[in-house]
Amino acid sequence: MRLSDLERFHKITIQCHDNPDADTLASGYGLYCYFKKKGKQARLIYSGRNRIQKSNLRLMLEKLNLPVEYVPVEEAADSREELLITVDCQYGAGNVTQIEAAHIAVIDHHQPETEAGEWAEIRSDLGSCSTLVWKLLLEEGFEISDEEGLGTALYYGLYSDTNQFAEIHNPLDMDMRDALPVDNSLITLFRNSNISLKELEIAGIALIRYSYNDDYEFAVIKANPCDPNILGLISDFLLQVDAIKTCVVFNETGDGYKFSVRSCVREVNASELAVYLAQGMGSGGGHYEKAGGFISLRRYEEKYPTLHTEGYFNNRMTEYFDSFDLIYAQQYEAHPEDMKLYVMRRLPTGYVKAARILPVGTPVTIRTSKGDMDMTVEDDLYIMIDIQGRIYPRRHKEFTEEYEPLEQSYDKAEFLNRAEYAPVIKNRENGKNLLLTDYAKLCVPRNEIYIYAKELEKGVKVFTLREKDAYMSGRVGDYLAVRRDDLHDVYVVERDIFAKSYDRADGAD
Ligand SMILES: [Mn+2]
């Protein structure tokens, strides 16, 4: 759906969820600004039993002049709208008072809860609904760079929904964070009016009700209903305990469970753990040390009709720790006799000579679907792009030894598999972005590379020779591989990539 699809209506009511948070208010305000500019009769409303109380939200309304109106439940029951757009929530879901309308549109970033109607834009992979609204505005060419009020609102929406950006994982969220015009003094003001004395008490009570697993050194806490930001606060505190290496803090929201994950050991990537905890029931992600997620109540009850949530989180954590073996490349002893010999296909791959697109010395950040990487443009820097849209830096010497440039031109559609987000090179001096794939050329590996490999029957985490601070994860069905010429050089190849990239070298198929 595009916003312009909704321009056929004149009277447009934008509804935030009940007990609004910063994200729903910001998203609604974004839509309000858009439709006002189009000359529409727009209203921004919320309903439910409670009026907005939290001081950060009251400050947000006041300082940014958000034109939001409270509609009491009784009044909502009598209303009939022409077009109703629910933001950061889905029409018919439990967290939003139902208002009659001739036409309904839904703009949200939660898991799909209800049957989507004709006009729905739901992107569950985004950290905030503000990001989705920002994207929809950009698609219509709405100029936001001189709208500091709106920029600040959207920024704060994302900031609040991702625990102060700690749990942000989608590159589109990062793009918005970097691009918006923001009044930083207002953000500081909102940020420091974040919790009430009541919530301080909730955090305190939560902290003394931990459960602890001493085999795996993790803790789990269920907090009483509170603002999701408190979960981050509790888990940050909890992790400072010496015996606790990873932790999960969660609570019930109206429609499911919000959780925060923290890790201070390299053997547990919090982002991966968050994905694991929400698997099949919601979404999760973030960074290596901090992450978070959401589980839908409906899906949870389908899957675990009788299991209470403390039980679920404790079991699932144990299951996670039981699900993998650890491999440290330095100490690893490969057993080629248990593996099969393969040769790597010499497939074309993309590369960019950095100095060809930006001056030498420019500080850049390369953003990929797997995260950001900072570097400086140097004369001998080559950036390799693999078929998953990941990038690898190479020096000129390594590049010319390992690869042979091709005449054939690089085609994004052909050489970028499955990658939802093509890598972007951001010039940190002027903030300008370039799509790396627009400048890519092709090369092929020069030499035949032989490996021993075997299919994994259990999950594995590999600390490779090159990367000692973070692991590569392998799941059942993926392949564990070692270079024939260096049996310590162990790594993981995903199943479908393996099928595309390697052939048996000993004649069998
Ligand atoms: Mn939200």
Side-chain angles (χ1 to χ4, degrees), residues 133-193:
V133 167
W134 174 72
K135 181 176 162 280
L136 292 169
L137 292 175
L138 285 189
E139 280 168 7
E140 302 301 343
F142 185 93
E143 194 44 69
I144 202 169
S145 55
D146 45 0
E147 302 266 355
E148 197 178 71
L150 176 56
T152 305
L154 293 171
Y155 183 93
Y156 190 57
L158 176 64
Y159 178 92
S160 310
D161 257 30
T162 57
N163 248 312
Q164 316 185 355
F165 301 139
E167 297 170 6
I168 201 170
H169 52 97
N170 193 299
L172 206 61
D173 291 325
M174 302 180 199
D175 284 347
M176 176 176 88
R177 176 196 61 194
D178 299 347
L180 288 174
V182 175
D183 182 334
N184 284 307
S185 61
L186 282 184
I187 296 292
T188 306
L189 183 67
F190 301 161
R191 198 174 61 205
N192 291 295
S193 316

Short mmCIF file of all heavy atoms in Angstrom, two decimals, residues 133-193:
data_model
loop_
_atom_site.label_atom_id
_atom_site.label_comp_id
_atom_site.label_asym_id
_atom_site.label_seq_id
_atom_site.Cartn_x
_atom_site.Cartn_y
_atom_site.Cartn_z
N VAL A 133 6.35 4.59 8.72
CA VAL A 133 5.72 5.84 8.26
C VAL A 133 6.76 6.70 7.52
O VAL A 133 6.47 7.25 6.46
CB VAL A 133 5.10 6.61 9.46
CG1 VAL A 133 4.74 8.03 9.08
CG2 VAL A 133 3.89 5.85 9.98
N TRP A 134 7.96 6.76 8.04
CA TRP A 134 9.05 7.50 7.39
C TRP A 134 9.27 6.98 5.96
O TRP A 134 9.37 7.75 5.01
CB TRP A 134 10.32 7.35 8.22
CG TRP A 134 11.56 7.93 7.63
CD1 TRP A 134 11.86 9.26 7.51
CD2 TRP A 134 12.67 7.21 7.08
NE1 TRP A 134 13.10 9.41 6.93
CE2 TRP A 134 13.62 8.17 6.66
CE3 TRP A 134 12.98 5.85 6.92
CZ2 TRP A 134 14.84 7.80 6.07
CZ3 TRP A 134 14.19 5.49 6.35
CH2 TRP A 134 15.10 6.46 5.93
N LYS A 135 9.28 5.66 5.83
CA LYS A 135 9.48 5.04 4.53
C LYS A 135 8.32 5.38 3.57
O LYS A 135 8.53 5.71 2.41
CB LYS A 135 9.60 3.52 4.72
CG LYS A 135 9.83 2.75 3.45
CD LYS A 135 10.01 1.28 3.79
CE LYS A 135 9.81 0.40 2.58
NZ LYS A 135 8.39 0.15 2.27
N LEU A 136 7.10 5.33 4.12
CA LEU A 136 5.93 5.65 3.28
C LEU A 136 5.96 7.11 2.85
O LEU A 136 5.59 7.45 1.72
CB LEU A 136 4.63 5.34 4.04
CG LEU A 136 4.34 3.85 4.30
CD1 LEU A 136 3.19 3.69 5.29
CD2 LEU A 136 4.04 3.11 3.00
N LEU A 137 6.41 7.99 3.75
CA LEU A 137 6.52 9.42 3.42
C LEU A 137 7.56 9.63 2.31
O LEU A 137 7.34 10.37 1.36
CB LEU A 137 6.90 10.25 4.65
CG LEU A 137 5.86 10.34 5.77
CD1 LEU A 137 6.42 11.10 6.97
CD2 LEU A 137 4.58 11.02 5.28
N LEU A 138 8.71 8.95 2.46
CA LEU A 138 9.77 9.08 1.45
C LEU A 138 9.27 8.62 0.09
O LEU A 138 9.57 9.23 -0.93
CB LEU A 138 10.98 8.21 1.82
CG LEU A 138 11.90 8.67 2.93
CD1 LEU A 138 13.15 7.78 2.95
CD2 LEU A 138 12.31 10.12 2.77
N GLU A 139 8.50 7.53 0.09
CA GLU A 139 8.00 6.99 -1.18
C GLU A 139 7.09 7.97 -1.90
O GLU A 139 6.93 7.91 -3.12
CB GLU A 139 7.25 5.67 -0.93
CG GLU A 139 8.19 4.50 -0.77
CD GLU A 139 7.53 3.23 -0.24
OE1 GLU A 139 6.28 3.21 -0.10
OE2 GLU A 139 8.26 2.28 0.07
N GLU A 140 6.48 8.88 -1.13
CA GLU A 140 5.62 9.90 -1.76
C GLU A 140 6.38 11.19 -2.02
O GLU A 140 5.78 12.19 -2.41
CB GLU A 140 4.40 10.20 -0.87
CG GLU A 140 3.54 9.00 -0.54
CD GLU A 140 2.95 8.29 -1.76
OE1 GLU A 140 2.92 8.89 -2.86
OE2 GLU A 140 2.53 7.13 -1.61
N GLY A 141 7.68 11.19 -1.75
CA GLY A 141 8.48 12.39 -1.98
C GLY A 141 8.21 13.48 -0.96
O GLY A 141 8.50 14.66 -1.20
N PHE A 142 7.65 13.14 0.21
CA PHE A 142 7.38 14.12 1.27
C PHE A 142 8.70 14.59 1.86
O PHE A 142 9.49 13.79 2.35
CB PHE A 142 6.51 13.46 2.33
CG PHE A 142 6.03 14.37 3.43
CD1 PHE A 142 4.81 15.00 3.34
CD2 PHE A 142 6.81 14.56 4.57
CE1 PHE A 142 4.35 15.83 4.36
CE2 PHE A 142 6.36 15.40 5.60
CZ PHE A 142 5.13 16.02 5.48
N GLU A 143 8.94 15.90 1.82
CA GLU A 143 10.23 16.45 2.26
C GLU A 143 10.23 16.61 3.79
O GLU A 143 9.45 17.37 4.33
CB GLU A 143 10.45 17.81 1.58
CG GLU A 143 11.86 18.35 1.67
CD GLU A 143 12.94 17.29 1.41
OE1 GLU A 143 13.09 16.83 0.26
OE2 GLU A 143 13.64 16.94 2.38
N ILE A 144 11.14 15.88 4.43
CA ILE A 144 11.11 15.88 5.89
C ILE A 144 12.32 16.60 6.48
O ILE A 144 12.35 16.93 7.67
CB ILE A 144 11.03 14.41 6.40
CG1 ILE A 144 10.47 14.36 7.82
CG2 ILE A 144 12.36 13.72 6.31
CD1 ILE A 144 10.13 12.98 8.25
N SER A 145 13.30 16.92 5.63
CA SER A 145 14.57 17.46 6.14
C SER A 145 14.39 18.81 6.86
O SER A 145 15.17 19.16 7.73
CB SER A 145 15.59 17.58 5.02
OG SER A 145 15.05 18.36 3.99
N ASP A 146 13.33 19.58 6.52
CA ASP A 146 13.13 20.84 7.25
C ASP A 146 11.97 20.76 8.26
O ASP A 146 11.47 21.76 8.73
CB ASP A 146 12.93 22.01 6.27
CG ASP A 146 11.96 21.64 5.15
OD1 ASP A 146 11.46 20.50 5.16
OD2 ASP A 146 11.72 22.50 4.29
N GLU A 147 11.55 19.55 8.57
CA GLU A 147 10.46 19.35 9.55
C GLU A 147 11.06 18.80 10.84
O GLU A 147 10.94 17.62 11.14
CB GLU A 147 9.43 18.34 9.01
CG GLU A 147 8.80 18.71 7.71
CD GLU A 147 7.47 19.46 7.88
OE1 GLU A 147 7.03 19.58 9.05
OE2 GLU A 147 6.92 19.90 6.88
N GLU A 148 11.72 19.68 11.61
CA GLU A 148 12.43 19.17 12.78
C GLU A 148 11.50 18.57 13.83
O GLU A 148 11.83 17.59 14.48
CB GLU A 148 13.28 20.28 13.41
CG GLU A 148 14.34 19.70 14.33
CD GLU A 148 15.23 20.76 14.94
OE1 GLU A 148 14.75 21.53 15.82
OE2 GLU A 148 16.39 20.83 14.51
N GLY A 149 10.31 19.14 13.97
CA GLY A 149 9.35 18.62 14.96
C GLY A 149 8.97 17.18 14.63
O GLY A 149 9.04 16.29 15.48
N LEU A 150 8.61 16.97 13.39
CA LEU A 150 8.23 15.63 12.96
C LEU A 150 9.43 14.68 13.04
O LEU A 150 9.31 13.54 13.49
CB LEU A 150 7.67 15.67 11.53
CG LEU A 150 7.31 14.33 10.90
CD1 LEU A 150 6.32 13.55 11.77
CD2 LEU A 150 6.74 14.52 9.49
N GLY A 151 10.61 15.19 12.63
CA GLY A 151 11.83 14.39 12.69
C GLY A 151 12.11 13.93 14.12
O GLY A 151 12.40 12.77 14.38
N THR A 152 11.97 14.87 15.07
CA THR A 152 12.22 14.55 16.47
C THR A 152 11.22 13.52 16.99
O THR A 152 11.58 12.59 17.71
CB THR A 152 12.15 15.84 17.33
OG1 THR A 152 13.07 16.79 16.76
CG2 THR A 152 12.52 15.60 18.77
N ALA A 153 9.96 13.67 16.57
CA ALA A 153 8.93 12.72 17.01
C ALA A 153 9.26 11.31 16.50
O ALA A 153 9.26 10.35 17.27
CB ALA A 153 7.56 13.16 16.51
N LEU A 154 9.56 11.18 15.21
CA LEU A 154 9.82 9.86 14.63
C LEU A 154 11.08 9.24 15.25
O LEU A 154 11.13 8.04 15.54
CB LEU A 154 10.00 9.96 13.11
CG LEU A 154 8.74 10.37 12.32
CD1 LEU A 154 9.08 10.64 10.86
CD2 LEU A 154 7.64 9.30 12.41
N TYR A 155 12.07 10.08 15.48
CA TYR A 155 13.32 9.62 16.09
C TYR A 155 13.04 9.08 17.49
O TYR A 155 13.50 8.01 17.88
CB TYR A 155 14.28 10.81 16.15
CG TYR A 155 15.66 10.55 16.70
CD1 TYR A 155 16.70 10.22 15.84
CD2 TYR A 155 15.94 10.68 18.06
CE1 TYR A 155 17.99 10.01 16.32
CE2 TYR A 155 17.22 10.47 18.55
CZ TYR A 155 18.24 10.15 17.67
OH TYR A 155 19.51 9.95 18.15
N TYR A 156 12.23 9.82 18.25
CA TYR A 156 11.92 9.39 19.60
C TYR A 156 11.03 8.14 19.61
O TYR A 156 11.14 7.29 20.50
CB TYR A 156 11.25 10.53 20.37
CG TYR A 156 11.10 10.24 21.84
CD1 TYR A 156 12.21 9.93 22.63
CD2 TYR A 156 9.85 10.26 22.45
CE1 TYR A 156 12.08 9.64 23.96
CE2 TYR A 156 9.71 9.98 23.81
CZ TYR A 156 10.83 9.67 24.56
OH TYR A 156 10.69 9.39 25.89
N GLY A 157 10.20 8.01 18.58
CA GLY A 157 9.37 6.80 18.43
C GLY A 157 10.25 5.57 18.29
O GLY A 157 10.06 4.56 18.98
N LEU A 158 11.25 5.66 17.42
CA LEU A 158 12.16 4.53 17.22
C LEU A 158 13.03 4.30 18.46
O LEU A 158 13.23 3.18 18.90
CB LEU A 158 13.06 4.79 16.00
CG LEU A 158 14.15 3.74 15.72
CD1 LEU A 158 13.52 2.39 15.37
CD2 LEU A 158 15.05 4.20 14.57
N TYR A 159 13.51 5.41 19.02
CA TYR A 159 14.35 5.36 20.23
C TYR A 159 13.64 4.61 21.35
O TYR A 159 14.21 3.74 22.00
CB TYR A 159 14.65 6.80 20.64
CG TYR A 159 15.47 6.98 21.88
CD1 TYR A 159 16.85 7.07 21.81
CD2 TYR A 159 14.85 7.09 23.13
CE1 TYR A 159 17.61 7.24 22.96
CE2 TYR A 159 15.60 7.28 24.28
CZ TYR A 159 16.97 7.35 24.19
OH TYR A 159 17.71 7.54 25.32
N SER A 160 12.35 4.91 21.55
CA SER A 160 11.59 4.28 22.64
C SER A 160 11.28 2.82 22.35
O SER A 160 11.26 2.01 23.26
CB SER A 160 10.25 4.99 22.86
OG SER A 160 10.45 6.36 22.98
N ASP A 161 11.00 2.52 21.09
CA ASP A 161 10.59 1.14 20.76
C ASP A 161 11.77 0.18 20.69
O ASP A 161 11.58 -1.02 20.64
CB ASP A 161 9.81 1.12 19.44
CG ASP A 161 8.31 0.99 19.67
OD1 ASP A 161 7.85 1.47 20.71
OD2 ASP A 161 7.62 0.39 18.83
N THR A 162 12.99 0.69 20.64
CA THR A 162 14.15 -0.19 20.51
C THR A 162 15.08 -0.07 21.72
O THR A 162 16.28 -0.32 21.62
CB THR A 162 14.98 0.14 19.25
OG1 THR A 162 15.38 1.52 19.32
CG2 THR A 162 14.18 -0.09 17.99
N ASN A 163 14.50 0.32 22.88
CA ASN A 163 15.31 0.48 24.08
C ASN A 163 16.54 1.34 23.83
O ASN A 163 17.67 0.88 23.93
CB ASN A 163 15.73 -0.88 24.63
CG ASN A 163 15.04 -1.13 25.95
OD1 ASN A 163 15.04 -0.27 26.82
ND2 ASN A 163 14.43 -2.29 26.08
N GLN A 164 16.29 2.56 23.47
CA GLN A 164 17.35 3.55 23.23
C GLN A 164 18.30 3.09 22.13
O GLN A 164 19.51 3.22 22.25
CB GLN A 164 18.12 3.84 24.52
CG GLN A 164 17.18 4.01 25.70
CD GLN A 164 17.87 4.40 26.98
OE1 GLN A 164 19.09 4.46 27.04
NE2 GLN A 164 17.10 4.70 27.99
N PHE A 165 17.73 2.52 21.08
CA PHE A 165 18.47 2.03 19.91
C PHE A 165 19.30 0.78 20.19
O PHE A 165 19.92 0.24 19.29
CB PHE A 165 19.41 3.10 19.29
CG PHE A 165 18.71 4.34 18.84
CD1 PHE A 165 19.27 5.60 19.06
CD2 PHE A 165 17.49 4.27 18.17
CE1 PHE A 165 18.62 6.76 18.62
CE2 PHE A 165 16.83 5.42 17.73
CZ PHE A 165 17.41 6.67 17.97
N ALA A 166 19.31 0.30 21.46
CA ALA A 166 20.13 -0.86 21.78
C ALA A 166 19.62 -2.10 21.07
O ALA A 166 20.38 -3.01 20.76
CB ALA A 166 20.15 -1.10 23.28
N GLU A 167 18.32 -2.15 20.79
CA GLU A 167 17.74 -3.37 20.24
C GLU A 167 17.35 -3.19 18.77
O GLU A 167 16.54 -3.91 18.22
CB GLU A 167 16.55 -3.81 21.10
CG GLU A 167 16.99 -4.16 22.52
CD GLU A 167 15.87 -4.38 23.52
OE1 GLU A 167 14.70 -4.36 23.12
OE2 GLU A 167 16.18 -4.55 24.72
N ILE A 168 17.95 -2.21 18.14
CA ILE A 168 17.66 -1.92 16.74
C ILE A 168 18.35 -2.98 15.89
O ILE A 168 19.45 -3.42 16.21
CB ILE A 168 18.21 -0.50 16.42
CG1 ILE A 168 17.55 0.11 15.21
CG2 ILE A 168 19.68 -0.50 16.19
CD1 ILE A 168 17.93 1.59 15.08
N HIS A 169 17.72 -3.50 14.84
CA HIS A 169 18.42 -4.46 13.99
C HIS A 169 18.19 -4.30 12.50
O HIS A 169 18.97 -4.76 11.71
CB HIS A 169 18.14 -5.90 14.42
CG HIS A 169 16.68 -6.24 14.55
ND1 HIS A 169 15.99 -6.85 13.56
CD2 HIS A 169 15.82 -6.05 15.57
CE1 HIS A 169 14.73 -7.04 13.96
NE2 HIS A 169 14.61 -6.56 15.17
N ASN A 170 17.10 -3.65 12.14
CA ASN A 170 16.84 -3.52 10.70
C ASN A 170 17.63 -2.32 10.14
O ASN A 170 17.58 -1.23 10.70
CB ASN A 170 15.35 -3.33 10.48
CG ASN A 170 14.97 -3.49 9.04
OD1 ASN A 170 15.45 -2.75 8.19
ND2 ASN A 170 14.16 -4.48 8.75
N PRO A 171 18.35 -2.52 9.03
CA PRO A 171 19.13 -1.41 8.47
C PRO A 171 18.27 -0.20 8.10
O PRO A 171 18.76 0.94 8.13
CB PRO A 171 19.80 -2.01 7.24
CG PRO A 171 19.22 -3.35 7.03
CD PRO A 171 18.56 -3.78 8.29
N LEU A 172 17.00 -0.43 7.79
CA LEU A 172 16.12 0.69 7.47
C LEU A 172 15.91 1.58 8.71
O LEU A 172 15.83 2.81 8.60
CB LEU A 172 14.78 0.14 6.97
CG LEU A 172 13.97 1.02 6.03
CD1 LEU A 172 14.73 1.32 4.75
CD2 LEU A 172 12.64 0.35 5.71
N ASP A 173 15.82 0.94 9.88
CA ASP A 173 15.71 1.71 11.13
C ASP A 173 16.95 2.59 11.30
O ASP A 173 16.85 3.75 11.69
CB ASP A 173 15.62 0.76 12.33
CG ASP A 173 14.30 -0.02 12.38
OD1 ASP A 173 13.27 0.55 11.99
OD2 ASP A 173 14.32 -1.19 12.79
N MET A 174 18.11 2.02 11.01
CA MET A 174 19.36 2.79 11.17
C MET A 174 19.40 3.93 10.17
O MET A 174 19.86 5.03 10.48
CB MET A 174 20.56 1.88 10.96
CG MET A 174 20.56 0.70 11.92
SD MET A 174 22.00 -0.34 11.61
CE MET A 174 21.47 -1.85 12.38
N ASP A 175 18.91 3.67 8.96
CA ASP A 175 18.89 4.73 7.94
C ASP A 175 18.03 5.91 8.41
O ASP A 175 18.42 7.06 8.26
CB ASP A 175 18.33 4.20 6.61
CG ASP A 175 19.35 3.35 5.86
OD1 ASP A 175 20.55 3.38 6.24
OD2 ASP A 175 18.97 2.66 4.90
N MET A 176 16.89 5.60 9.01
CA MET A 176 16.03 6.69 9.48
C MET A 176 16.72 7.44 10.63
O MET A 176 16.77 8.67 10.61
CB MET A 176 14.67 6.19 9.94
CG MET A 176 13.83 7.33 10.52
SD MET A 176 12.16 6.89 10.98
CE MET A 176 12.40 6.35 12.67
N ARG A 177 17.25 6.69 11.57
CA ARG A 177 17.94 7.31 12.72
C ARG A 177 19.02 8.29 12.24
O ARG A 177 19.16 9.39 12.74
CB ARG A 177 18.58 6.22 13.58
CG ARG A 177 19.42 6.73 14.74
CD ARG A 177 20.32 5.65 15.29
NE ARG A 177 21.25 5.17 14.30
CZ ARG A 177 21.97 4.06 14.39
NH1 ARG A 177 21.86 3.29 15.45
NH2 ARG A 177 22.80 3.70 13.44
N ASP A 178 19.76 7.91 11.19
CA ASP A 178 20.85 8.74 10.71
C ASP A 178 20.37 9.92 9.87
O ASP A 178 21.08 10.90 9.72
CB ASP A 178 21.82 7.90 9.86
CG ASP A 178 22.45 6.77 10.67
OD1 ASP A 178 22.32 6.80 11.91
OD2 ASP A 178 23.05 5.87 10.06
N ALA A 179 19.18 9.80 9.29
CA ALA A 179 18.75 10.80 8.30
C ALA A 179 17.85 11.90 8.87
O ALA A 179 17.81 13.00 8.32
CB ALA A 179 18.03 10.09 7.14
N LEU A 180 17.15 11.64 9.97
CA LEU A 180 16.14 12.60 10.44
C LEU A 180 16.75 13.89 11.00
O LEU A 180 17.78 13.85 11.66
CB LEU A 180 15.30 11.96 11.54
CG LEU A 180 14.30 10.88 11.15
CD1 LEU A 180 13.68 10.29 12.41
CD2 LEU A 180 13.22 11.43 10.23
N PRO A 181 16.07 15.02 10.79
CA PRO A 181 16.47 16.24 11.50
C PRO A 181 15.94 16.13 12.93
O PRO A 181 14.76 15.83 13.12
CB PRO A 181 15.74 17.34 10.73
CG PRO A 181 14.56 16.67 10.12
CD PRO A 181 14.91 15.23 9.90
N VAL A 182 16.80 16.32 13.93
CA VAL A 182 16.39 16.06 15.31
C VAL A 182 16.80 17.20 16.23
O VAL A 182 17.89 17.74 16.12
CB VAL A 182 17.06 14.75 15.82
CG1 VAL A 182 16.75 14.52 17.29
CG2 VAL A 182 16.59 13.56 15.01
N ASP A 183 15.90 17.57 17.14
CA ASP A 183 16.24 18.51 18.19
C ASP A 183 16.76 17.71 19.38
O ASP A 183 15.98 17.15 20.17
CB ASP A 183 14.99 19.31 18.58
CG ASP A 183 15.28 20.36 19.64
OD1 ASP A 183 16.25 20.16 20.42
OD2 ASP A 183 14.56 21.35 19.71
N ASN A 184 18.09 17.64 19.50
CA ASN A 184 18.68 16.76 20.52
C ASN A 184 18.37 17.17 21.95
O ASN A 184 18.29 16.33 22.84
CB ASN A 184 20.19 16.67 20.32
CG ASN A 184 20.51 15.76 19.15
OD1 ASN A 184 20.05 14.62 19.11
ND2 ASN A 184 21.24 16.26 18.17
N SER A 185 18.17 18.48 22.16
CA SER A 185 17.90 18.90 23.54
C SER A 185 16.52 18.38 23.98
O SER A 185 16.31 18.06 25.14
CB SER A 185 17.99 20.41 23.68
OG SER A 185 17.04 21.02 22.85
N LEU A 186 15.58 18.28 23.04
CA LEU A 186 14.28 17.72 23.40
C LEU A 186 14.39 16.23 23.71
O LEU A 186 13.78 15.74 24.66
CB LEU A 186 13.27 17.94 22.26
CG LEU A 186 12.68 19.34 22.15
CD1 LEU A 186 11.63 19.39 21.05
CD2 LEU A 186 12.06 19.78 23.47
N ILE A 187 15.19 15.53 22.91
CA ILE A 187 15.37 14.09 23.17
C ILE A 187 15.95 13.88 24.57
O ILE A 187 15.50 13.02 25.33
CB ILE A 187 16.28 13.44 22.10
CG1 ILE A 187 15.63 13.51 20.71
CG2 ILE A 187 16.61 11.98 22.46
CD1 ILE A 187 14.39 12.68 20.50
N THR A 188 16.92 14.71 24.94
CA THR A 188 17.51 14.61 26.28
C THR A 188 16.45 14.84 27.36
O THR A 188 16.40 14.14 28.36
CB THR A 188 18.64 15.66 26.44
OG1 THR A 188 19.55 15.47 25.36
CG2 THR A 188 19.38 15.50 27.75
N LEU A 189 15.60 15.80 27.11
CA LEU A 189 14.53 16.11 28.06
C LEU A 189 13.58 14.92 28.20
O LEU A 189 13.26 14.48 29.32
CB LEU A 189 13.77 17.34 27.56
CG LEU A 189 12.65 17.87 28.44
CD1 LEU A 189 13.22 18.43 29.73
CD2 LEU A 189 11.87 18.95 27.70
N PHE A 190 13.13 14.36 27.07
CA PHE A 190 12.19 13.22 27.12
C PHE A 190 12.84 12.02 27.82
O PHE A 190 12.23 11.33 28.61
CB PHE A 190 11.78 12.76 25.71
CG PHE A 190 11.12 13.81 24.86
CD1 PHE A 190 11.06 13.66 23.47
CD2 PHE A 190 10.56 14.95 25.42
CE1 PHE A 190 10.46 14.61 22.68
CE2 PHE A 190 9.95 15.91 24.62
CZ PHE A 190 9.90 15.74 23.25
N ARG A 191 14.11 11.81 27.46
CA ARG A 191 14.82 10.64 27.94
C ARG A 191 14.94 10.63 29.46
O ARG A 191 14.96 9.59 30.09
CB ARG A 191 16.23 10.67 27.33
CG ARG A 191 16.95 9.36 27.36
CD ARG A 191 18.24 9.46 26.61
NE ARG A 191 19.13 10.44 27.19
CZ ARG A 191 20.09 11.06 26.52
NH1 ARG A 191 20.26 10.83 25.23
NH2 ARG A 191 20.86 11.92 27.11
N ASN A 192 15.00 11.80 30.04
CA ASN A 192 15.20 11.88 31.48
C ASN A 192 13.91 12.08 32.26
O ASN A 192 13.93 12.45 33.43
CB ASN A 192 16.24 12.95 31.80
CG ASN A 192 17.61 12.47 31.33
OD1 ASN A 192 18.14 11.51 31.85
ND2 ASN A 192 18.14 13.10 30.31
N SER A 193 12.79 11.84 31.59
CA SER A 193 11.50 11.82 32.29
C SER A 193 10.84 10.50 31.98
O SER A 193 9.65 10.41 31.74
CB SER A 193 10.60 12.96 31.79
OG SER A 193 11.32 14.15 31.68
#
